[in-house]
Structure formats: structure tokens, C-alpha cells
Amino acid sequence: MFQGIIMSGFGGQGIISGGIMLAYAGMIEGKQVTFFPAYGAEMRGGTANCSVVISSDPVASPVVGNPDSLLIMNEPSLARFEDSLKPDGLMIINSSLVASKPTRTDIAAIEIPVSDLAEGVGNIKTANMVILGAYARKTGAVSIDGLKNSIEKVYVRASASMVEMNKKAIDKGAEAVS
Amino acid sequence: MAERTLMKGNEAVAEGAVRAGCRFFAGYPITPQNEIPEYMSWRLPEEGGTFIQAESEVAAINMLFGASSVGTRVMTSSSSPGISLKQEGVSYCAAAELPIFYTNIVRGGPGLGNIAPSQGDYFQATRGGGHGDYRVIVFAPKTVEEMANFPRTCYELAFKYRIPTMMLADGILGQMMEPVTFEFDPIDPSTLDLPDWALRGSKPEKRRVIKSYDLRPGKMEQWNFRLEKKYDEIREKEPRYEAVNIDDADIILTGYGTAARVCESAMALGRKEGLKIGYIRPITLWPFPKSVFREVRDKVEKFFVVEMSLGQYVEDVKLSLNGRSEIYLHKRPAGGIPTGEEVLELTRKILSGDKTKQVEE
């Protein structure tokens, strides 16, 4: 199996840490993984994005040009990455913040009110967990448990209550696509 | 210790150096290697070591000259323009035979260039880099795990031969995260024998001097010949490489670092469709592993070089093959990152007789 994923949103939405979580979950499940952040010049309020590869074979380049899956957390990310998605690729869109619709018809697009669901869990900062939960359930590239087991490895200073809240957010995302 | 963890390349090389006994780091910030000094700034004090953010690259490399003179395992790091600034100091360390360790997390050039991954500093790294007749040992990791584990070998060779040793990686390897297992127990430098040349302020039987010149007639020529003897020994004993599927190959793909990963991927994809593709990847860029190319050059007709620069690495491949095989070259400078599919498509064309990518001998 091979999954090239781009996760993109605003700075502060947990894009980078979410990408690391995804790679970590893949690693503990025995997959070959890479995580690569966009590290160029970005302006405040602009986009943050990262590439994650989860594969059964060694990964050549960690840079994902044409992703198999796109995790779109804000409006500008849709415009920026829609064209790059592979035909038959998967796009999960945070409909709480993205008003536009994808124009492509050769892809699978799922709209979930990611930010609203995160607020429902108790903290909007868990929005990245919601979309990861949805992605894991939809593709099986990593398991829901794998994601949950990665929380404390990536957020090393997270309190027990925050870890629990993140787990709930992952479940919320998974339920939203079940 | 054997726990598998996810690490960024820059953090892995920093942690690897600390575990290999590094206790002094001086550097100056530049993207895409900033995580190295950032990591060292909190990690070295934990081990009783010293971190200094210097006022400039030139200051940093000269601090290494001093700290290395007393026998400490030292490190600096930078990216292309900053490494250029450090070359005067590296040359002095090479002359004084100081075992410094440094990394270049290469970005696009020339000039200020950009912060994208690149392999444009190959000539600078493998031909010494500064003024004068010298070489440094150059390791080229292709994974974050190698970045974590190579520093131990770098220090061993640096101290064995009294020679500056560097790690040449690109912005991808510095910035990406991958699973890492450290393959060695942390080394406590206080348990290592102090080199017999280290300046310790004591009164040894013979006066110890560390310097980079000798003005007496003929002495500098002798000095150079002495260095050459050492370089020849390193050329003979220390080349390292990886070679896969070379025995039945119709074509051998070759590259180092990130380009090696791409070659490896193209080989794996090509083998699935029955193409006889082999792969050679130097682990040390200097000393260059000529022998493996010489072993196969009469058996393999075509060599395909992939590099993220404009034809630098290919020069060493040419010197090793010495006109015995056809050489093809794919160049992606200053931020161009080839993919496995791209290299496989070109490989198919070359195998079917396309000469577009062929380079002159």
C-alpha cells in the first residue's frame, strides 16, 4: 500500500503536529513513513501544510506532489491543492470553514464540519484530531487505535484530560464518516 | 535505547553527535538547519557540554579550532552560504589536523539561493572546500536513521586520522521526519583516551604545538606530503558504499543522499516490470568508492546518474568508469526533486536507445 497525504490549513490549526501524529501512527503499525513540513516563508494567517507518506515499501521522496489524500482544513487550502489530487483521490474538507465546493468530479470529496465537531468535544484545538479520525476510518491507512496511541508520543506535555479529549475528537471524526 | 522513535533529520544528527561524545557546539543560524543548534542549545548542557551561538559563522568555526585543540569532540553545522563562510577555518583545521565534525544541510545556490533542498555543494565538499591542498572525509546519509548513527563513525575516523569530517545532507533530509533507532550506546567522552596531541596546559615530556603553518624552507612541502600520505591511506581503507542488483544489471542507477532514495525506488519499480536495473550509492563521497564502479564497468554498458545539481557528482562517476561505459545524467538543481517514476521513465528510454541524456566522457 502507498498513501501520499497532504494536510493543509491555517497556522495554529495543528497541521504540523497532526501530520506528525499520522506518521507516528503509521510507524508503530510497522509501516514505512515519512513526514515533511512546508518550511518556506509563510505569512501570518497564511497556510501551513505538510506531506506524510505511509507505505509498505521504502519511501523514495517524502515530498508529495500528487497526493492520494488531501486533508483540507481551511478555504485557501482547497484552492491551492485541489488540482494536485490524484484522480480517484480522497479529499476530506472542513466544511465549518470551507464555503467553496471542489470543482473536480473525478475524486471522492467528503465534507465534515470538523471545527464544529471539535468545539462540541470541548476544544477547537482538537480539530486536527477530528479530521485524522475521519481519514483513518475512511482509508484504513492507520488504525483509530494507532492514532490514539500516538497522542502522548507527539504531545509529550499533554495533560491526561487533554489526551482524553483528543481521543474523543478522533472518535468524532471516525463516526462522521461511518 | 533501541526504542524506535520518529525524529527530524536535523534533530537526529544533533542527538547522534551528542551520543557519540560531542560536548562542544558553536554555530550561527541559517535555514534549513536551524533545528540543529536549537537542539544543541538545550541538549548539550544536559550532558555538561557547551553550546555557543556565535556572532558569525567565521567565529563559530574558529571556536571549533580552539575547542578541538584540547581533544574535545566538537561540532558545528550550517547550510550552504554559511558553510562557504566557514571554509577558511576548515582549511586551518585540516592543516592543523584537528578532528572537527560539521554538517552542511545543503540549500539551493549559488549566492543566497533559496532554502529548498539541493546537492549543489558536492564539489565544495569533496575537493576540500577551502584553500590549499587538503581533503575532508564526507559522509552522505540517505535516511534520518543514518543521520542519527553516522556521527559516531565520523568522530571515530576524525580522531583516528586527525582529519575534519563532515556530513553532507540536503534540506529534505534535514527537515523530514522518519523512524530512527540508535544503533549504539551513548559514549561518555570522559572514558575515552585523551589524544597524545591534545593541549591540556600540563607539562608533557614533549612540547605540544597545534598550528597550521611552517615557514622554514621546504617544511611546508613536507607537511603537505605528510598529509597526502594520510589521505592515501584513507582513500585505500575508508570508502563506503551500497550496491544492489549489480550482477545482472543492464543499467546501473547511481546517486547519493536523497537522489539515492529516488534511484532505489526507480530500481524497485523497474524490477517489478522485469527491467534489469542495479543501483550503486556512495556512502562516503570522499573517499569516493571507485572500486565498486571499476568492478562492474566492463560488465554494465550503461550508468545513469541522478543528482540534484548540474553535473558535479557525475564527474567522480566518470573518473571511476574511465570511458568504459555510457553515462547518462539527470539534473534537478536548487529545489528540483526527482521522483522514482520520473527516473524510471527516463531509464526505460535509455534502455530503448534514447541518447538525449547521455553525457560526453
Side-chain angles (χ1 to χ4, degrees), chain B residues 110-257:
Chain B
L112 190 63
N114 61 20
I115 58 173
S118 163
Q119 295 185 326
D121 298 353
Y122 182 88
F123 282 156
Q124 186 196 53
T126 57
R127 270 63 178 169
H131 62 283
D133 235 337
Y134 75 95
R135 299 292 175 124
V136 300
I137 295 176
V138 185
F139 275 79
K142 69 169 184 182
T143 62
V144 173
E145 187 157 87
E146 288 185 348
M147 291 183 80
N149 287 297
F150 281 1
R152 176 182 55 163
T153 316
C154 288
Y155 279 118
E156 280 169 5
L157 296 183
F159 275 76
K160 180 178 177 189
Y161 293 103
R162 291 190 62 184
I163 184 171
T165 300
M166 78 177 297
M167 193 179 289
L168 188 74
D170 59 60
I172 283 188
L173 287 159
Q175 290 296 322
M176 75 189 288
M177 291 179 95
E178 271 189 318
V180 167
T181 305
F182 284 93
E183 291 160 3
F184 61 101
D185 291 321
I187 295 164
D188 177 355
S190 69
T191 63
L192 299 169
D193 289 338
L194 198 62
D196 61 6
W197 47 263
L199 310 182
R200 301 302 286 219
S202 59
K203 286 197 173 167
E205 59 291 351
K206 191 167 168 255
R207 195 164 73 108
R208 294 174 184 173
V209 178
I210 302 254
K211 62 176 186 175
S212 71
Y213 67 96
D214 193 330
L215 299 178
R216 291 171 293 172
K219 288 290 184 188
M220 207 61 218
E221 185 178 17
Q222 284 175 21
W223 192 313
N224 272 264
F225 280 130
R226 186 163 51 78
L227 291 178
E228 186 196 33
K229 206 174 152 195
K230 172 168 81 178
Y231 298 151
D232 284 345
E233 188 184 346
I234 295 170
R235 282 188 183 98
E236 187 198 326
K237 291 183 183 166
E238 305 299 347
R240 288 160 166 78
Y241 63 88
E242 188 187 355
V244 184
N245 290 332
I246 55 173
D247 292 330
D248 69 339
D250 292 326
I251 186 166
I252 284 180
L253 307 186
T254 183
Y256 69 94

Side-chain angles (χ1 to χ4, degrees), chain B residues 5 8 10 119 165 179 264 270 292:
Chain B
T5 171
K8 196 171 226 201
N10 284 335
Q119 295 185 326
T165 300
E264 209 177 3
V292 64

